[in-house]
Each structure stands twice: as structure tokens, then as C-alpha cells.
Amino acid sequence: MKAPGRAQLADLITTCVLALALVVTASALTALVRRPAPAPAATGHATTARHWVNTWTAMPQLTEPANLPPAPFTGAHSVLVDTTLRQTLRVSAGGHRLRLRFSNAFGDTPLPLTAVTVALPRGGAAGVSAVDPGTTRPVTFSGRASTTVPVGAQVVSDPLDFDLRAASNLTVTTYLADGQPSLALTSHPGSRTTSYLLHGDHTRDTDLTGATPVDHWYLISDVEVLAGPSTEAVAVLGDSLTDGRGSTTNANNRWPDQLYDRLRSRPATAPVAVLNQAAGGNRVLNDGLGPNALARLDRDILSRSGVAWLIVFEGVNDIGTADATPAAQRQVTADLIAAYQQIVVRAHAQGIRVYGATLLPFGGNNLYDDPAGEREKSRQAVNAWIRARGHFDAVIDFDRAVRDPAAPSRLLPALQAGDWLHLNPEGYRILAGAVPAGLLSRH
């Protein structure tokens, strides 16, 4: 057989190289197809390990003069000097490890906290000044007993081993030796829960005999628990209807509280924490009692730990405080809809599902109801947009649940708290029952 020439040899080598390349490419493709798929990226709420989840929260506000601590706990230029403050908080999800957050969001001076303890309230009750003996534990901050919260900031405590049952009350006791050298105090006035003030350091006392009761929360903004992968939170962005105007002091019967009671009775939703980020008079577009919803969304919702769902139940105060003229009401309607779209976009960017709740009727209310019905037209237009498909991930029709079928512009008489704007505890029970539990389940 004649040996191949140079040209034939070159062709043969090229053919072999191409064949080898095809074999390598085919092998690589086969390996790529058979290789296990990479783990999905974290979504911000579905985890495979224990993680921190907010179990209680209160929207920080600048304390109005009428809601400052009574004398002698407020002076001419300072507040809470040499004062022990004892507060009870009803948590939602439970855990065996917790940490606290204190807020100086509206302070214009640093906030020095001298000592903090946690305990279980006597009898597990809300709004009591005594704690169960033997349950008090000191809280530290970076290993220290005291800390100073900078202006406009918050501070997170060190994790603390502490058994905290779901739906139980927690007592937080804080002592401020120097107080805050300003009257710009951060608080949540609408606590619907009694707190106690007493001069001196009584953070480890079983009871605060002779303490002054006040129905406000001060300084404390969050409790978090280290929870398992199935525990996630639903946050509510709201106003006085969510803050509980018309509910019973120390009874924890606002609608988010009663929603939580429903959720924990079902295995699929029992791990869900409920976070009430509402304040009386709050608005979506403009500041009122507290910053507007668009301004506080990042602080109060998107930065909270473990939030998987958001319920938006605000807007009636925007409609009710806008002029009752056709032009003003058309404007507020358009602006509210644009604001809802902004909230959805920003929450979706954090992997949070957003549910829109329809606005309740206010017919008969002296402040919001107008003779020409211009504000009612706006409410109807906003609710029509909320109910339309494709705007929110789901709709919660609170309006349908509590309106009077015989007079749809009004609340059912038996459910309203006397002003035809707010609900009584039974009305809040109806709202809680109107939330489809399946919206808060991943099973």
C-alpha cells in the first residue's frame, strides 16, 4: 500500500482532530445534562436553616406632647431620667432564643439605655406590673449591660436563650439613669396595653409597687426569635383600624391579633408570625401621625426579619383628609393607586407577596363623610382598582365583610365603635375571619 502524501496526511490529521472535538463536546453536553441542578437562589423568605423572624413589632413614632410620660417622668428638657419602664408585649411565633430592638428613630439626641431585662409577666397576662419570680434575665448589647442608641438609629441586643411560647406575653423592663436629654422621644402611643413607670433601677424587681401606669409603648420596637425554616411573617401596613382603635386595652383583640389566633389553630399556618405595623391617623401619601406609608415602607416592612407576605390596608385617611371636591378626590384616587403600585414593586423586589385589602365605608362619620358623597366615590374607585385582577397578588375584601348590605356606604351598626369609622372587637373578629388562611400558607 502506498504511503499517504503530505496533503493526505494533513487531511487525515484534521479529520481526527475534528472527530476528537466532537467526542469531547458530546461528553461535556452529556455531563451537563446529567449534572444535578444547582440549588435555587434564596428568595428572602424560604430558608433551609434556622433564621431570625420578627415575632412582635410596633411602628415607631415621634411622641406627641400629650402622649409623653406624665410628670415627674417628663421634665422641661429631658424625659425618663432615673426611670424604670416596664412594658408587656404579646408575641406571635415562639422560640428558644430571642433578641430585642430599641429605636431612637425620632430622637434628636443619643438615647442611653442603662439596663434591660426580660421576664414572663405574672400569670402570663398583658399589661401587668409584676413578673413571675425566677424568670428575669439580663439583656446585653455587644456583651455589655448598657448601650447608647445613636440619633435616628436602632440597636439590636445580643441573642438571649429564653423560652418564649407562641402567643404569649413578654415583659421588657428598661432603666435609663440619665434619661433622654430631649423631648423628642420615640414611642408607639397606640399600644392598647398598659406600661409602668417608676423612679430608680427596678429592672430586676418582681413587682413595681407604686408605679405610674401609662397606656403607651416607649423605645422598644421589635422582638425577634430564632425560628425554624417553616416560620415566616406576614406584616400589615395600616392605620388606626389595624392599630386597634376601638379594641379592648390589654385584651389583644385587634384584628391582626385575632388573625394570628386563627392561623395558629391550623397546622399549615401555625408557624406564621403576624406583625402589626400600623398607627392611628397614618396615611399612604402624606405624613400624619407618623411618616407616610411610602416613606416608612423600607424601615417598617422591607427591613423586618423573615417577612414573606404584606397586607396593605391603608388609604381611607388619605381620602378623608383630602378636600371633598371632585378635583381633589380625583387627584387623591389617582395618587393612591400609583402609591399602591410603588408598594407592590418595592415589596416584590424583596420576594414579598403583597395582598390588597379593600377600604372600609365611613358613612355617618362626622369628619370624613361629605354630603355630596365625593369621598365615597373615591373609596369605591380605589376599591374597584384593588379588586381588579393583576394589581395585587391577592385581594382581601374587608369592605364586603363589614359593610351594611342595606346601606353599603356604612358599616354594619353592630360592628362599629360609635364613630362610624372604627370597629369594635366583634368587628375586628370579622376582619380577621375575612383573610383567607390559604394566602399565608406554603403547603
Side-chain angles (χ1 to χ4, degrees):
M1 183 176 179
K2 185 178 178 181
R6 287 186 178 181
Q8 292 174 310
L9 184 60
D11 290 342
L12 180 62
I13 291 172
T14 300
T15 301
C16 291
V17 169
L18 288 173
L20 181 60
L22 288 171
V23 171
V24 172
T25 302
S27 299
L29 288 171
T30 301
L32 182 61
V33 170
R34 292 178 178 174
R35 184 179 303 156
T43 62
H45 48 249
T47 64
T48 58
R50 299 181 70 78
H51 62 143
W52 289 103
V53 178
N54 268 70
T55 183
W56 175 89
T57 192
M59 173 187 154
Q61 297 174 244
L62 175 63
T63 311
E64 304 154 275
N67 290 325
L68 285 167
F73 304 101
T74 295
H77 305 290
S78 60
V79 64
L80 299 177
V81 176
D82 186 32
T83 298
T84 292
L85 166 65
R86 178 162 288 178
Q87 308 177 93
T88 59
L89 326 167
R90 191 207 190 208
V91 304
S92 47
H96 303 291
R97 205 163 210 224
L98 62 80
R99 62 189 186 189
L100 309 178
R101 292 177 184 250
F102 290 87
S103 177
N104 194 23
F106 296 96
D108 55 14
T109 61
L111 170 65
L113 306 178
T114 308
V116 179
T117 62
V118 295
L120 296 178
R122 180 168 293 174
V128 297
S129 63
V131 300
D132 282 341
T135 65
T136 300
R137 300 288 184 274
V139 176
T140 59
F141 304 86
S142 300
R144 299 173 295 180
S146 61
T147 190
T148 297
V149 190
V151 172
Q154 64 173 301
V155 66
V156 184
S157 76
D158 297 330
L160 172 67
D161 291 333
F162 192 92
D163 289 334
L164 191 61
R165 292 183 296 104
S168 65
N169 286 292
L170 175 71
T171 296
V172 177
T173 308
T174 308
Y175 174 62
L176 299 86
D178 300 324
Q180 185 157 18
S182 165
L183 300 186
L185 184 68
T186 300
S187 70
H188 187 84
S191 64
R192 325 294 170 195
T193 306
T194 305
S195 302
Y196 295 88
L197 301 166
L198 187 64
H199 278 316
D201 183 355
H202 301 279
T203 51
R204 295 176 181 269
D205 289 9
T206 301
D207 201 354
L208 300 188
T209 304
T212 299
V214 290
D215 290 341
H216 308 299
W217 284 315
Y218 299 108
L219 312 180
I220 184 77
S221 63
D222 297 274
V223 180
E224 298 173 289
V225 291
L226 190 61
S230 63
T231 301
E232 299 173 296
V234 54
V236 185
L237 194 65
D239 52 32
S240 56
L241 285 159
T242 298
D243 204 29
R245 176 74 177 271
S247 65
T248 309
T249 299
N250 296 321
N252 288 303
N253 53 17
R254 314 163 189 84
W255 76 261
D257 298 306
Q258 298 193 62
L259 171 63
Y260 177 67
D261 292 335
R262 273 188 62 222
L263 296 177
R264 60 189 292 262
S265 69
R266 296 163 45 96
T269 55
V272 175
V274 178
L275 307 180
N276 188 336
Q277 289 287 34
N282 196 239
R283 290 183 284 178
V284 175
L285 303 171
N286 298 300
D287 292 353
L289 294 181
N292 65 79
L294 290 178
R296 67 186 182 91
L297 183 68
D298 290 272
R299 183 197 68 189
D300 293 347
I301 305 297
L302 305 185
S303 67
R304 299 277 70 81
S305 301
V307 174
W309 305 277
L310 168 62
I311 297 173
V312 179
F313 183 36
E314 281 207 82
V316 69
N317 288 325
D318 296 82
I319 293 171
T321 56
D323 290 340
T325 64
Q329 288 302 311
R330 282 194 299 270
Q331 185 67 53
V332 76
T333 298
D335 290 348
L336 272 175
I337 289 170
Y340 293 146
Q341 292 172 320
Q342 285 288 306
I343 291 169
V344 171
V345 166
R346 288 163 61 184
H348 279 176
Q350 301 298 318
I352 297 171
R353 293 180 63 80
V354 188
Y355 304 143
T358 52
L359 305 183
L360 304 192
F362 44 77
N365 178 260
N366 290 334
L367 294 176
Y368 288 179
D369 191 12
D370 64 286
E374 295 297 339
R375 293 187 176 119
E376 172 63 11
K377 293 175 187 176
S378 293
R379 188 184 74 89
Q380 293 288 356
V382 169
N383 279 351
W385 186 88
I386 291 173
R387 291 185 178 107
R389 293 176 61 87
H391 296 148
F392 288 98
D393 294 308
V395 176
I396 302 169
D397 207 337
F398 283 161
D399 169 47
R400 190 181 303 275
V402 296
R403 71 190 181 198
D404 187 345
S409 65
R410 288 178 174 245
L411 296 167
L412 276 165
L415 302 182
Q416 61 99 15
D419 62 0
W420 295 98
L421 180 63
H422 299 96
L423 298 172
N424 57 31
E426 175 62 14
Y428 289 133
R429 186 189 69 80
I430 299 298
L431 287 192
V435 180
L439 295 180
L440 306 174
S441 172
R442 296 199 179 277
H443 304 290

